[in-house]
Amino acid sequence: MLCLSILIATCVWADDATDREAIKHVIAAVNDHSKPLADVFTADAPENERSLLSAQEQPWSEVTSPRITTGSIRFITPRIALVESRNIQYGSVLVMQSTPMLLVMKKDGAQWRIAVACELQDRAAGA
């Protein structure tokens, strides 16, 4: 009985690790613009949230495109995950701007996609 419970726990952990890697690949696709945003967001994701992560295609822009760094990934259900992250941009006037974000990821079939992307108020900046 003990061996069976260890085997089941290992299988659950393996899926969790696989899902974490899949989520990190989605965020990497946003960062390197290897996929259009329509492929990394769910169909019902609000357009204004997609613009938070879109590349700024301005030829004389002073700011780089957003780069998302992943913090903790917590699974709420096997198909929903919360990802604490930061949106980092570099520029000439503001050397670096880092904004905390929360991404709600949803498993759509076999693919993880971003359902919600929201910027959070940085408590350190408000102090």
Side-chain angles (χ1 to χ4, degrees), residues 31-67:
N31 286 336
D32 63 15
H33 313 292
S34 63
K35 292 182 179 180
L37 287 180
D39 291 348
V40 296
F41 277 89
T42 59
D44 58 347
E47 188 62 39
N48 63 335
E49 292 176 10
R50 293 177 193 217
S51 67
L52 287 175
L53 304 179
S54 65
Q56 305 297 329
E57 299 292 332
Q58 300 172 1
W60 293 97
S61 178
E62 296 284 327
V63 181
T64 62
S65 296
R67 181 148 188 90

PDB file of all heavy atoms in Angstrom, residues 31-67:
ATOM      1  N   ASN A  31       7.812  36.579 -24.457  1.00  0.00           N
ATOM      2  CA  ASN A  31       9.033  37.385 -24.384  1.00  0.00           C
ATOM      3  C   ASN A  31       9.783  37.463 -25.708  1.00  0.00           C
ATOM      4  O   ASN A  31      10.273  38.530 -26.076  1.00  0.00           O
ATOM      5  CB  ASN A  31       9.971  36.837 -23.305  1.00  0.00           C
ATOM      6  CG  ASN A  31       9.464  37.152 -21.911  1.00  0.00           C
ATOM      7  OD1 ASN A  31       8.708  38.094 -21.711  1.00  0.00           O
ATOM      8  ND2 ASN A  31       9.879  36.358 -20.951  1.00  0.00           N
ATOM      9  N   ASP A  32       9.902  36.352 -26.408  1.00  0.00           N
ATOM     10  CA  ASP A  32      10.681  36.384 -27.658  1.00  0.00           C
ATOM     11  C   ASP A  32       9.809  36.563 -28.896  1.00  0.00           C
ATOM     12  O   ASP A  32      10.307  36.501 -30.015  1.00  0.00           O
ATOM     13  CB  ASP A  32      11.581  35.157 -27.784  1.00  0.00           C
ATOM     14  CG  ASP A  32      10.811  33.845 -27.859  1.00  0.00           C
ATOM     15  OD1 ASP A  32       9.599  33.859 -28.104  1.00  0.00           O
ATOM     16  OD2 ASP A  32      11.460  32.794 -27.670  1.00  0.00           O
ATOM     17  N   HIS A  33       8.523  36.779 -28.697  1.00  0.00           N
ATOM     18  CA  HIS A  33       7.576  37.057 -29.785  1.00  0.00           C
ATOM     19  C   HIS A  33       7.592  35.968 -30.844  1.00  0.00           C
ATOM     20  O   HIS A  33       7.423  36.229 -32.030  1.00  0.00           O
ATOM     21  CB  HIS A  33       7.851  38.420 -30.415  1.00  0.00           C
ATOM     22  CG  HIS A  33       8.055  39.513 -29.418  1.00  0.00           C
ATOM     23  ND1 HIS A  33       7.042  39.966 -28.609  1.00  0.00           N
ATOM     24  CD2 HIS A  33       9.157  40.214 -29.063  1.00  0.00           C
ATOM     25  CE1 HIS A  33       7.507  40.915 -27.813  1.00  0.00           C
ATOM     26  NE2 HIS A  33       8.785  41.068 -28.059  1.00  0.00           N
ATOM     27  N   SER A  34       7.796  34.713 -30.407  1.00  0.00           N
ATOM     28  CA  SER A  34       7.832  33.597 -31.350  1.00  0.00           C
ATOM     29  C   SER A  34       6.436  33.148 -31.781  1.00  0.00           C
ATOM     30  O   SER A  34       6.303  32.457 -32.777  1.00  0.00           O
ATOM     31  CB  SER A  34       8.599  32.412 -30.752  1.00  0.00           C
ATOM     32  OG  SER A  34       7.944  31.929 -29.596  1.00  0.00           O
ATOM     33  N   LYS A  35       5.419  33.543 -31.025  1.00  0.00           N
ATOM     34  CA  LYS A  35       4.034  33.227 -31.378  1.00  0.00           C
ATOM     35  C   LYS A  35       3.216  34.504 -31.319  1.00  0.00           C
ATOM     36  O   LYS A  35       3.485  35.386 -30.502  1.00  0.00           O
ATOM     37  CB  LYS A  35       3.425  32.229 -30.379  1.00  0.00           C
ATOM     38  CG  LYS A  35       4.011  30.846 -30.419  1.00  0.00           C
ATOM     39  CD  LYS A  35       3.277  29.964 -29.424  1.00  0.00           C
ATOM     40  CE  LYS A  35       3.805  28.554 -29.430  1.00  0.00           C
ATOM     41  NZ  LYS A  35       3.104  27.709 -28.470  1.00  0.00           N
ATOM     42  N   PRO A  36       2.200  34.622 -32.157  1.00  0.00           N
ATOM     43  CA  PRO A  36       1.305  35.772 -32.018  1.00  0.00           C
ATOM     44  C   PRO A  36       0.553  35.701 -30.698  1.00  0.00           C
ATOM     45  O   PRO A  36       0.324  34.613 -30.154  1.00  0.00           O
ATOM     46  CB  PRO A  36       0.354  35.652 -33.206  1.00  0.00           C
ATOM     47  CG  PRO A  36       0.635  34.358 -33.864  1.00  0.00           C
ATOM     48  CD  PRO A  36       1.856  33.761 -33.263  1.00  0.00           C
ATOM     49  N   LEU A  37       0.177  36.854 -30.171  1.00  0.00           N
ATOM     50  CA  LEU A  37      -0.515  36.880 -28.878  1.00  0.00           C
ATOM     51  C   LEU A  37      -1.820  36.100 -28.907  1.00  0.00           C
ATOM     52  O   LEU A  37      -2.255  35.582 -27.887  1.00  0.00           O
ATOM     53  CB  LEU A  37      -0.766  38.323 -28.438  1.00  0.00           C
ATOM     54  CG  LEU A  37       0.466  39.087 -27.962  1.00  0.00           C
ATOM     55  CD1 LEU A  37       0.083  40.500 -27.546  1.00  0.00           C
ATOM     56  CD2 LEU A  37       1.175  38.382 -26.835  1.00  0.00           C
ATOM     57  N   ALA A  38      -2.435  35.987 -30.060  1.00  0.00           N
ATOM     58  CA  ALA A  38      -3.673  35.207 -30.165  1.00  0.00           C
ATOM     59  C   ALA A  38      -3.439  33.741 -29.822  1.00  0.00           C
ATOM     60  O   ALA A  38      -4.355  33.061 -29.366  1.00  0.00           O
ATOM     61  CB  ALA A  38      -4.249  35.324 -31.570  1.00  0.00           C
ATOM     62  N   ASP A  39      -2.212  33.261 -30.005  1.00  0.00           N
ATOM     63  CA  ASP A  39      -1.899  31.867 -29.705  1.00  0.00           C
ATOM     64  C   ASP A  39      -1.548  31.626 -28.241  1.00  0.00           C
ATOM     65  O   ASP A  39      -1.545  30.493 -27.793  1.00  0.00           O
ATOM     66  CB  ASP A  39      -0.737  31.373 -30.572  1.00  0.00           C
ATOM     67  CG  ASP A  39      -1.126  31.240 -32.034  1.00  0.00           C
ATOM     68  OD1 ASP A  39      -2.337  31.317 -32.339  1.00  0.00           O
ATOM     69  OD2 ASP A  39      -0.218  31.059 -32.864  1.00  0.00           O
ATOM     70  N   VAL A  40      -1.211  32.671 -27.504  1.00  0.00           N
ATOM     71  CA  VAL A  40      -0.839  32.486 -26.091  1.00  0.00           C
ATOM     72  C   VAL A  40      -1.935  32.916 -25.126  1.00  0.00           C
ATOM     73  O   VAL A  40      -1.877  32.584 -23.951  1.00  0.00           O
ATOM     74  CB  VAL A  40       0.493  33.194 -25.741  1.00  0.00           C
ATOM     75  CG1 VAL A  40       1.639  32.600 -26.511  1.00  0.00           C
ATOM     76  CG2 VAL A  40       0.409  34.677 -25.950  1.00  0.00           C
ATOM     77  N   PHE A  41      -2.933  33.644 -25.619  1.00  0.00           N
ATOM     78  CA  PHE A  41      -4.073  34.043 -24.792  1.00  0.00           C
ATOM     79  C   PHE A  41      -5.276  33.162 -25.110  1.00  0.00           C
ATOM     80  O   PHE A  41      -5.405  32.657 -26.223  1.00  0.00           O
ATOM     81  CB  PHE A  41      -4.456  35.507 -25.052  1.00  0.00           C
ATOM     82  CG  PHE A  41      -3.632  36.497 -24.289  1.00  0.00           C
ATOM     83  CD1 PHE A  41      -2.460  36.996 -24.821  1.00  0.00           C
ATOM     84  CD2 PHE A  41      -4.017  36.931 -23.038  1.00  0.00           C
ATOM     85  CE1 PHE A  41      -1.690  37.911 -24.134  1.00  0.00           C
ATOM     86  CE2 PHE A  41      -3.267  37.839 -22.334  1.00  0.00           C
ATOM     87  CZ  PHE A  41      -2.094  38.336 -22.882  1.00  0.00           C
ATOM     88  N   THR A  42      -6.164  33.012 -24.150  1.00  0.00           N
ATOM     89  CA  THR A  42      -7.420  32.327 -24.406  1.00  0.00           C
ATOM     90  C   THR A  42      -8.278  33.210 -25.311  1.00  0.00           C
ATOM     91  O   THR A  42      -8.060  34.420 -25.401  1.00  0.00           O
ATOM     92  CB  THR A  42      -8.183  32.024 -23.100  1.00  0.00           C
ATOM     93  OG1 THR A  42      -8.436  33.254 -22.413  1.00  0.00           O
ATOM     94  CG2 THR A  42      -7.402  31.084 -22.200  1.00  0.00           C
ATOM     95  N   ALA A  43      -9.253  32.614 -25.957  1.00  0.00           N
ATOM     96  CA  ALA A  43     -10.111  33.360 -26.881  1.00  0.00           C
ATOM     97  C   ALA A  43     -10.913  34.442 -26.169  1.00  0.00           C
ATOM     98  O   ALA A  43     -11.220  35.478 -26.765  1.00  0.00           O
ATOM     99  CB  ALA A  43     -11.049  32.403 -27.605  1.00  0.00           C
ATOM    100  N   ASP A  44     -11.235  34.231 -24.891  1.00  0.00           N
ATOM    101  CA  ASP A  44     -12.058  35.200 -24.165  1.00  0.00           C
ATOM    102  C   ASP A  44     -11.241  36.197 -23.339  1.00  0.00           C
ATOM    103  O   ASP A  44     -11.809  36.964 -22.567  1.00  0.00           O
ATOM    104  CB  ASP A  44     -13.063  34.473 -23.270  1.00  0.00           C
ATOM    105  CG  ASP A  44     -12.398  33.553 -22.261  1.00  0.00           C
ATOM    106  OD1 ASP A  44     -11.195  33.277 -22.395  1.00  0.00           O
ATOM    107  OD2 ASP A  44     -13.096  33.092 -21.333  1.00  0.00           O
ATOM    108  N   ALA A  45      -9.930  36.231 -23.513  1.00  0.00           N
ATOM    109  CA  ALA A  45      -9.093  37.189 -22.775  1.00  0.00           C
ATOM    110  C   ALA A  45      -9.371  38.604 -23.278  1.00  0.00           C
ATOM    111  O   ALA A  45      -9.467  38.831 -24.479  1.00  0.00           O
ATOM    112  CB  ALA A  45      -7.623  36.848 -22.947  1.00  0.00           C
ATOM    113  N   PRO A  46      -9.529  39.564 -22.361  1.00  0.00           N
ATOM    114  CA  PRO A  46      -9.809  40.948 -22.774  1.00  0.00           C
ATOM    115  C   PRO A  46      -8.666  41.543 -23.602  1.00  0.00           C
ATOM    116  O   PRO A  46      -7.488  41.286 -23.341  1.00  0.00           O
ATOM    117  CB  PRO A  46      -9.946  41.697 -21.443  1.00  0.00           C
ATOM    118  CG  PRO A  46     -10.235  40.639 -20.435  1.00  0.00           C
ATOM    119  CD  PRO A  46      -9.541  39.406 -20.913  1.00  0.00           C
ATOM    120  N   GLU A  47      -9.026  42.334 -24.588  1.00  0.00           N
ATOM    121  CA  GLU A  47      -8.045  42.933 -25.495  1.00  0.00           C
ATOM    122  C   GLU A  47      -7.093  43.875 -24.757  1.00  0.00           C
ATOM    123  O   GLU A  47      -5.905  43.926 -25.061  1.00  0.00           O
ATOM    124  CB  GLU A  47      -8.763  43.683 -26.615  1.00  0.00           C
ATOM    125  CG  GLU A  47      -7.850  44.180 -27.716  1.00  0.00           C
ATOM    126  CD  GLU A  47      -7.130  43.069 -28.453  1.00  0.00           C
ATOM    127  OE1 GLU A  47      -7.729  42.015 -28.697  1.00  0.00           O
ATOM    128  OE2 GLU A  47      -5.943  43.246 -28.781  1.00  0.00           O
ATOM    129  N   ASN A  48      -7.594  44.621 -23.770  1.00  0.00           N
ATOM    130  CA  ASN A  48      -6.719  45.556 -23.048  1.00  0.00           C
ATOM    131  C   ASN A  48      -5.643  44.819 -22.248  1.00  0.00           C
ATOM    132  O   ASN A  48      -4.565  45.345 -22.025  1.00  0.00           O
ATOM    133  CB  ASN A  48      -7.521  46.493 -22.157  1.00  0.00           C
ATOM    134  CG  ASN A  48      -8.280  45.763 -21.064  1.00  0.00           C
ATOM    135  OD1 ASN A  48      -8.596  44.575 -21.197  1.00  0.00           O
ATOM    136  ND2 ASN A  48      -8.605  46.456 -19.994  1.00  0.00           N
ATOM    137  N   GLU A  49      -5.916  43.579 -21.831  1.00  0.00           N
ATOM    138  CA  GLU A  49      -4.901  42.806 -21.115  1.00  0.00           C
ATOM    139  C   GLU A  49      -3.860  42.258 -22.085  1.00  0.00           C
ATOM    140  O   GLU A  49      -2.694  42.120 -21.735  1.00  0.00           O
ATOM    141  CB  GLU A  49      -5.554  41.686 -20.322  1.00  0.00           C
ATOM    142  CG  GLU A  49      -6.385  42.224 -19.177  1.00  0.00           C
ATOM    143  CD  GLU A  49      -7.132  41.155 -18.415  1.00  0.00           C
ATOM    144  OE1 GLU A  49      -6.877  39.962 -18.639  1.00  0.00           O
ATOM    145  OE2 GLU A  49      -7.971  41.527 -17.581  1.00  0.00           O
ATOM    146  N   ARG A  50      -4.269  41.961 -23.298  1.00  0.00           N
ATOM    147  CA  ARG A  50      -3.306  41.512 -24.310  1.00  0.00           C
ATOM    148  C   ARG A  50      -2.312  42.626 -24.626  1.00  0.00           C
ATOM    149  O   ARG A  50      -1.145  42.379 -24.882  1.00  0.00           O
ATOM    150  CB  ARG A  50      -4.020  41.103 -25.597  1.00  0.00           C
ATOM    151  CG  ARG A  50      -4.876  39.886 -25.442  1.00  0.00           C
ATOM    152  CD  ARG A  50      -5.608  39.589 -26.727  1.00  0.00           C
ATOM    153  NE  ARG A  50      -6.652  38.605 -26.495  1.00  0.00           N
ATOM    154  CZ  ARG A  50      -6.972  37.666 -27.339  1.00  0.00           C
ATOM    155  NH1 ARG A  50      -6.359  37.577 -28.496  1.00  0.00           N
ATOM    156  NH2 ARG A  50      -7.922  36.817 -27.058  1.00  0.00           N
ATOM    157  N   SER A  51      -2.767  43.867 -24.602  1.00  0.00           N
ATOM    158  CA  SER A  51      -1.885  44.985 -24.928  1.00  0.00           C
ATOM    159  C   SER A  51      -0.809  45.185 -23.864  1.00  0.00           C
ATOM    160  O   SER A  51       0.240  45.762 -24.161  1.00  0.00           O
ATOM    161  CB  SER A  51      -2.695  46.271 -25.117  1.00  0.00           C
ATOM    162  OG  SER A  51      -3.276  46.668 -23.899  1.00  0.00           O
ATOM    163  N   LEU A  52      -1.024  44.715 -22.627  1.00  0.00           N
ATOM    164  CA  LEU A  52       0.011  44.814 -21.595  1.00  0.00           C
ATOM    165  C   LEU A  52       1.275  44.063 -21.988  1.00  0.00           C
ATOM    166  O   LEU A  52       2.375  44.444 -21.617  1.00  0.00           O
ATOM    167  CB  LEU A  52      -0.496  44.239 -20.262  1.00  0.00           C
ATOM    168  CG  LEU A  52      -1.518  45.027 -19.476  1.00  0.00           C
ATOM    169  CD1 LEU A  52      -1.975  44.220 -18.271  1.00  0.00           C
ATOM    170  CD2 LEU A  52      -0.950  46.360 -19.037  1.00  0.00           C
ATOM    171  N   LEU A  53       1.113  42.977 -22.729  1.00  0.00           N
ATOM    172  CA  LEU A  53       2.240  42.126 -23.086  1.00  0.00           C
ATOM    173  C   LEU A  53       2.651  42.244 -24.541  1.00  0.00           C
ATOM    174  O   LEU A  53       3.517  41.509 -24.995  1.00  0.00           O
ATOM    175  CB  LEU A  53       1.898  40.661 -22.762  1.00  0.00           C
ATOM    176  CG  LEU A  53       1.491  40.380 -21.327  1.00  0.00           C
ATOM    177  CD1 LEU A  53       1.167  38.907 -21.153  1.00  0.00           C
ATOM    178  CD2 LEU A  53       2.570  40.807 -20.362  1.00  0.00           C
ATOM    179  N   SER A  54       2.040  43.165 -25.278  1.00  0.00           N
ATOM    180  CA  SER A  54       2.353  43.263 -26.707  1.00  0.00           C
ATOM    181  C   SER A  54       3.657  44.012 -26.912  1.00  0.00           C
ATOM    182  O   SER A  54       4.058  44.855 -26.115  1.00  0.00           O
ATOM    183  CB  SER A  54       1.221  43.966 -27.456  1.00  0.00           C
ATOM    184  OG  SER A  54       1.106  45.296 -27.030  1.00  0.00           O
ATOM    185  N   ALA A  55       4.312  43.696 -27.997  1.00  0.00           N
ATOM    186  CA  ALA A  55       5.561  44.371 -28.361  1.00  0.00           C
ATOM    187  C   ALA A  55       5.243  45.798 -28.785  1.00  0.00           C
ATOM    188  O   ALA A  55       4.299  46.033 -29.527  1.00  0.00           O
ATOM    189  CB  ALA A  55       6.253  43.625 -29.485  1.00  0.00           C
ATOM    190  N   GLN A  56       6.004  46.722 -28.306  1.00  0.00           N
ATOM    191  CA  GLN A  56       5.826  48.122 -28.689  1.00  0.00           C
ATOM    192  C   GLN A  56       6.553  48.336 -30.016  1.00  0.00           C
ATOM    193  O   GLN A  56       7.765  48.469 -30.049  1.00  0.00           O
ATOM    194  CB  GLN A  56       6.386  49.054 -27.602  1.00  0.00           C
ATOM    195  CG  GLN A  56       5.819  48.813 -26.219  1.00  0.00           C
ATOM    196  CD  GLN A  56       4.332  49.072 -26.135  1.00  0.00           C
ATOM    197  OE1 GLN A  56       3.809  49.922 -26.842  1.00  0.00           O
ATOM    198  NE2 GLN A  56       3.654  48.349 -25.282  1.00  0.00           N
ATOM    199  N   GLU A  57       5.818  48.350 -31.099  1.00  0.00           N
ATOM    200  CA  GLU A  57       6.401  48.434 -32.437  1.00  0.00           C
ATOM    201  C   GLU A  57       6.568  49.888 -32.868  1.00  0.00           C
ATOM    202  O   GLU A  57       6.077  50.300 -33.899  1.00  0.00           O
ATOM    203  CB  GLU A  57       5.512  47.683 -33.439  1.00  0.00           C
ATOM    204  CG  GLU A  57       5.350  46.217 -33.144  1.00  0.00           C
ATOM    205  CD  GLU A  57       6.642  45.425 -33.333  1.00  0.00           C
ATOM    206  OE1 GLU A  57       7.478  45.841 -34.155  1.00  0.00           O
ATOM    207  OE2 GLU A  57       6.813  44.416 -32.662  1.00  0.00           O
ATOM    208  N   GLN A  58       7.263  50.678 -32.087  1.00  0.00           N
ATOM    209  CA  GLN A  58       7.492  52.069 -32.430  1.00  0.00           C
ATOM    210  C   GLN A  58       8.965  52.237 -32.798  1.00  0.00           C
ATOM    211  O   GLN A  58       9.845  51.873 -32.016  1.00  0.00           O
ATOM    212  CB  GLN A  58       7.123  52.971 -31.260  1.00  0.00           C
ATOM    213  CG  GLN A  58       5.668  52.847 -30.863  1.00  0.00           C
ATOM    214  CD  GLN A  58       5.357  53.589 -29.576  1.00  0.00           C
ATOM    215  OE1 GLN A  58       6.224  54.214 -28.992  1.00  0.00           O
ATOM    216  NE2 GLN A  58       4.119  53.513 -29.146  1.00  0.00           N
ATOM    217  N   PRO A  59       9.247  52.787 -33.973  1.00  0.00           N
ATOM    218  CA  PRO A  59      10.631  52.838 -34.436  1.00  0.00           C
ATOM    219  C   PRO A  59      11.565  53.665 -33.554  1.00  0.00           C
ATOM    220  O   PRO A  59      12.713  53.334 -33.409  1.00  0.00           O
ATOM    221  CB  PRO A  59      10.521  53.419 -35.841  1.00  0.00           C
ATOM    222  CG  PRO A  59       9.179  54.022 -35.926  1.00  0.00           C
ATOM    223  CD  PRO A  59       8.312  53.339 -34.912  1.00  0.00           C
ATOM    224  N   TRP A  60      11.084  54.727 -32.949  1.00  0.00           N
ATOM    225  CA  TRP A  60      11.937  55.579 -32.120  1.00  0.00           C
ATOM    226  C   TRP A  60      11.569  55.482 -30.655  1.00  0.00           C
ATOM    227  O   TRP A  60      11.704  56.426 -29.896  1.00  0.00           O
ATOM    228  CB  TRP A  60      11.837  57.024 -32.590  1.00  0.00           C
ATOM    229  CG  TRP A  60      12.425  57.207 -33.943  1.00  0.00           C
ATOM    230  CD1 TRP A  60      11.740  57.220 -35.118  1.00  0.00           C
ATOM    231  CD2 TRP A  60      13.798  57.344 -34.273  1.00  0.00           C
ATOM    232  NE1 TRP A  60      12.605  57.365 -36.168  1.00  0.00           N
ATOM    233  CE2 TRP A  60      13.879  57.450 -35.674  1.00  0.00           C
ATOM    234  CE3 TRP A  60      14.963  57.391 -33.531  1.00  0.00           C
ATOM    235  CZ2 TRP A  60      15.089  57.606 -36.330  1.00  0.00           C
ATOM    236  CZ3 TRP A  60      16.165  57.544 -34.200  1.00  0.00           C
ATOM    237  CH2 TRP A  60      16.222  57.641 -35.574  1.00  0.00           C
ATOM    238  N   SER A  61      11.102  54.338 -30.244  1.00  0.00           N
ATOM    239  CA  SER A  61      10.669  54.164 -28.859  1.00  0.00           C
ATOM    240  C   SER A  61      11.854  54.228 -27.904  1.00  0.00           C
ATOM    241  O   SER A  61      12.934  53.716 -28.185  1.00  0.00           O
ATOM    242  CB  SER A  61       9.952  52.818 -28.693  1.00  0.00           C
ATOM    243  OG  SER A  61       9.593  52.641 -27.352  1.00  0.00           O
ATOM    244  N   GLU A  62      11.632  54.853 -26.765  1.00  0.00           N
ATOM    245  CA  GLU A  62      12.644  54.952 -25.713  1.00  0.00           C
ATOM    246  C   GLU A  62      12.595  53.752 -24.775  1.00  0.00           C
ATOM    247  O   GLU A  62      13.430  53.629 -23.896  1.00  0.00           O
ATOM    248  CB  GLU A  62      12.420  56.233 -24.891  1.00  0.00           C
ATOM    249  CG  GLU A  62      12.605  57.499 -25.684  1.00  0.00           C
ATOM    250  CD  GLU A  62      14.071  57.821 -25.919  1.00  0.00           C
ATOM    251  OE1 GLU A  62      14.893  57.520 -25.056  1.00  0.00           O
ATOM    252  OE2 GLU A  62      14.372  58.365 -26.993  1.00  0.00           O
ATOM    253  N   VAL A  63      11.599  52.891 -24.950  1.00  0.00           N
ATOM    254  CA  VAL A  63      11.379  51.789 -24.018  1.00  0.00           C
ATOM    255  C   VAL A  63      11.368  50.469 -24.789  1.00  0.00           C
ATOM    256  O   VAL A  63      10.805  50.384 -25.879  1.00  0.00           O
ATOM    257  CB  VAL A  63      10.036  51.970 -23.266  1.00  0.00           C
ATOM    258  CG1 VAL A  63       9.791  50.849 -22.287  1.00  0.00           C
ATOM    259  CG2 VAL A  63      10.009  53.303 -22.541  1.00  0.00           C
ATOM    260  N   THR A  64      11.973  49.446 -24.201  1.00  0.00           N
ATOM    261  CA  THR A  64      11.971  48.123 -24.832  1.00  0.00           C
ATOM    262  C   THR A  64      10.604  47.468 -24.689  1.00  0.00           C
ATOM    263  O   THR A  64       9.759  47.916 -23.916  1.00  0.00           O
ATOM    264  CB  THR A  64      13.020  47.204 -24.178  1.00  0.00           C
ATOM    265  OG1 THR A  64      12.670  47.020 -22.802  1.00  0.00           O
ATOM    266  CG2 THR A  64      14.413  47.776 -24.291  1.00  0.00           C
ATOM    267  N   SER A  65      10.409  46.405 -25.416  1.00  0.00           N
ATOM    268  CA  SER A  65       9.182  45.617 -25.286  1.00  0.00           C
ATOM    269  C   SER A  65       9.136  44.993 -23.892  1.00  0.00           C
ATOM    270  O   SER A  65      10.178  44.726 -23.293  1.00  0.00           O
ATOM    271  CB  SER A  65       9.148  44.507 -26.329  1.00  0.00           C
ATOM    272  OG  SER A  65       9.106  45.062 -27.616  1.00  0.00           O
ATOM    273  N   PRO A  66       7.942  44.717 -23.387  1.00  0.00           N
ATOM    274  CA  PRO A  66       7.836  44.095 -22.066  1.00  0.00           C
ATOM    275  C   PRO A  66       8.514  42.731 -22.033  1.00  0.00           C
ATOM    276  O   PRO A  66       8.486  41.989 -23.008  1.00  0.00           O
ATOM    277  CB  PRO A  66       6.326  43.923 -21.865  1.00  0.00           C
ATOM    278  CG  PRO A  66       5.683  44.821 -22.847  1.00  0.00           C
ATOM    279  CD  PRO A  66       6.631  44.980 -23.979  1.00  0.00           C
ATOM    280  N   ARG A  67       9.154  42.441 -20.923  1.00  0.00           N
ATOM    281  CA  ARG A  67       9.768  41.125 -20.702  1.00  0.00           C
ATOM    282  C   ARG A  67       9.235  40.606 -19.376  1.00  0.00           C
ATOM    283  O   ARG A  67       9.382  41.248 -18.350  1.00  0.00           O
ATOM    284  CB  ARG A  67      11.277  41.234 -20.669  1.00  0.00           C
ATOM    285  CG  ARG A  67      11.945  39.921 -20.467  1.00  0.00           C
ATOM    286  CD  ARG A  67      13.283  39.893 -21.191  1.00  0.00           C
ATOM    287  NE  ARG A  67      13.846  38.574 -21.161  1.00  0.00           N
ATOM    288  CZ  ARG A  67      13.641  37.641 -22.072  1.00  0.00           C
ATOM    289  NH1 ARG A  67      12.865  37.882 -23.097  1.00  0.00           N
ATOM    290  NH2 ARG A  67      14.191  36.464 -21.981  1.00  0.00           N
TER     291      ARG A  67
END
